[in-house]
Amino acid sequence: MAQAPVAGSQVPAASSIRFPKGFLLGTSTAAYQVEGAYQADGKGESKWDFLANKVGATQFVIGKKETGNVADNMYDRTQYLKDIALMKEMGVNAYRFSIAWSRIIPQGTGAVNAKGLAHYDQLITDLKAAGIEPVVTLYHFDMPQPLMEKGGWNNPESVQWYAAYAEVIFKHYGQKVKKFITFNEPYIEHFLADYMMNVEQSKAPANVRYAAAMPKAHNMLLANAKATAVYHRLKLPGMVGITLNLSPCMPFDANNPADVRATPLQDELLNTLFLDAIYKGRYPKRALDSLQKYNPAFRPAPADMALLAAQKPDFLGINFYAPAQVKADPTAPMGCTWIGNNTDPAPASGNGPNRPDQLYALLMRLKTEYGNPTTMITENGAAYGDVDEAVVNGKINDTHRCQYLLGHLGALQQALADGAKTIGYMHWSLLDNFEWVFGYSVKFGLIGVDRTTLARTPKQSYYLYQSILKQQPKLP
Ligand code: BGC
């Protein structure tokens, strides 16, 4: 087997990067992070409208209130047509965006909003006219707030609420959209974001609070299975998948026995919990035992596990940013941490170390342990902070992001050569946007956005990606 590229030492030349004909190469965004227009055309309130405006979710982290009320103004057609023109100039053949449930069904259940449906109809038409294939996520962290008030994903009815919403989407867009993604990153929403933001205002100890995520993740996986069944029942001419954040786990310090011991459990909680549920219809024992210890009420019914086992996605969306470098920490939930651990020298990317070899390793693991499923890289990107983002003479020289991009495309090319069945790569993100609790302070875009004027400035990484996209084999 060919050697995997190793970070820093084997960044390929841009001119050597080639993907098969028909391979999707694009960028990725999500509704709340870019659309703005948070009350336009009959839109209902979503979880993030509520968190940003009424709870002040960014306040705790960046010390000021920021919201997605305007974001990148991409709901506006005049604006998004300019962004599509930039995408076209860059040379992408795909674009992953998400539909806001609260635009389609403002109360979460019940009446469908024709204006919401029409907005995405137009966007899809405009993308296709530019030769860009839409890759559509149905849910990216933004449950309608009226459903949050009924218990959100804790409420077993959430499975049906979501399945009904998914049916509306599949029936309406199913002939013109060929790639659907049911959910984005159940782990991050439930085990990380909700836990960290203490959304439920619980005073419970950390382990109990963390374990409370499991029923929500379970309901989301059931909703995924139900929606997948709906999609297949409708016999639509495309594919449906789910996107997981996957991060191979390694000890932060390989010479520290405590870090080494903590790593397998972290791997189960982060990766195997979801992969096994989706591909094997079961939860890994060590993770399940640990969660049940602090949440004994969580006992998945055999019928639930049968449903999970029966519905396989047509492809697995993978958000890969970095491996998880695991530290033992008795004060952390389950005795381990990974977020914020990064052994890279400064400047280091906020989402973890730049290790393209671990993307390769992940795809090889899926091949050997999960029957080599069809995959799509639905997010991959980096934010290095000010050092990469300064505008000098109208240019943004994001050299670290360029290295990151090159390394990961090289690793992906290698994985394909070694048998991975990956059908696309969507870079996160098309443009700087609302980075959740970090507001606009953390930037992932290939295109910079001036926060006052919303003017777009393509960065060096945009031009690098453009040069790579231009040399790809074209379909006749
Ligand atoms: C999410 C994106 C987010 C990105 C960068 C992923 O967890 O899907 O919404 O902006 O990571 O942190």
Side-chain angles (χ1 to χ4, degrees), residues 28-30 33 96 140-141 184-185 188 192 243 245 319 321 351 379 381-383 428-429 433-436 438 442 444:
S28 196
T29 62
Q33 296 180 271
R96 172 181 178 241
H140 197 121
F141 302 162
N184 183 69
E185 301 185 343
I188 297 290
L192 198 72
T243 280
N245 55 290
N319 290 355
Y321 285 85
N351 277 19
E379 288 181 31
W428 185 274
S429 178
N433 57 49
F434 180 80
E435 178 58 20
W436 309 114
F438 298 102
V442 172
F444 276 92

Side-chain angles (χ1 to χ4, degrees), residues 294-454:
Y294 299 101
N295 184 0
F298 178 67
R299 301 267 151 213
D304 286 2
M305 298 319 285
L307 174 63
L308 294 184
Q311 291 303 326
K312 303 274 177 295
D314 302 326
F315 68 98
L316 176 68
I318 299 174
N319 290 355
F320 176 84
Y321 285 85
Q325 296 185 310
V326 182
K327 273 188 195 172
D329 176 354
T331 65
M334 307 298 151
C336 38
T337 66
W338 63 281
I339 283 284
N341 301 341
N342 190 343
T343 51
D344 276 1
S349 171
N351 277 19
N354 178 10
R355 291 291 300 271
D357 62 304
Q358 292 300 303
L359 171 60
Y360 175 89
L362 170 64
L363 292 170
M364 293 302 112
R365 176 179 175 189
L366 290 170
K367 186 175 157 195
T368 49
E369 290 179 29
Y370 293 93
N372 205 17
T374 299
T375 58
M376 184 194 296
I377 309 302
T378 41
E379 288 181 31
N380 173 245
Y384 285 91
D386 293 348
V387 62
D388 248 22
E389 304 296 341
V391 185
V392 181
N393 298 330
K395 291 202 164 121
I396 303 174
N397 286 319
D398 53 343
T399 49
H400 298 91
R401 182 175 294 106
C402 288
Q403 290 300 296
Y404 180 98
L405 173 63
L406 270 179
H408 286 82
L409 290 176
L412 183 54
Q413 175 168 288
Q414 186 67 62
L416 284 171
D418 291 339
K421 292 199 312 201
T422 307
I423 57 172
Y425 171 91
M426 308 292 134
H427 190 82
W428 185 274
S429 178
L430 170 66
L431 73 185
D432 294 341
N433 57 49
F434 180 80
E435 178 58 20
W436 309 114
V437 288
F438 298 102
Y440 298 97
S441 68
V442 172
K443 298 172 176 156
F444 276 92
L446 298 169
I447 298 172
V449 178
D450 181 296
R451 282 319 315 157
T452 316
T453 61
L454 299 185

Side-chain angles (χ1 to χ4, degrees), residues 124-137:
I124 290 164
T125 303
D126 291 334
L127 283 166
K128 289 182 149 193
I132 298 171
E133 173 164 354
V135 175
V136 174
T137 309

Side-chain angles (χ1 to χ4, degrees), residues 140-161:
H140 197 121
F141 302 162
D142 54 352
M143 184 176 243
Q145 183 60 17
L147 300 183
M148 290 300 291
E149 280 154 25
K150 292 184 186 161
W153 290 105
N154 256 323
N155 188 331
E157 286 178 38
S158 56
V159 177
Q160 204 36 55
W161 300 335

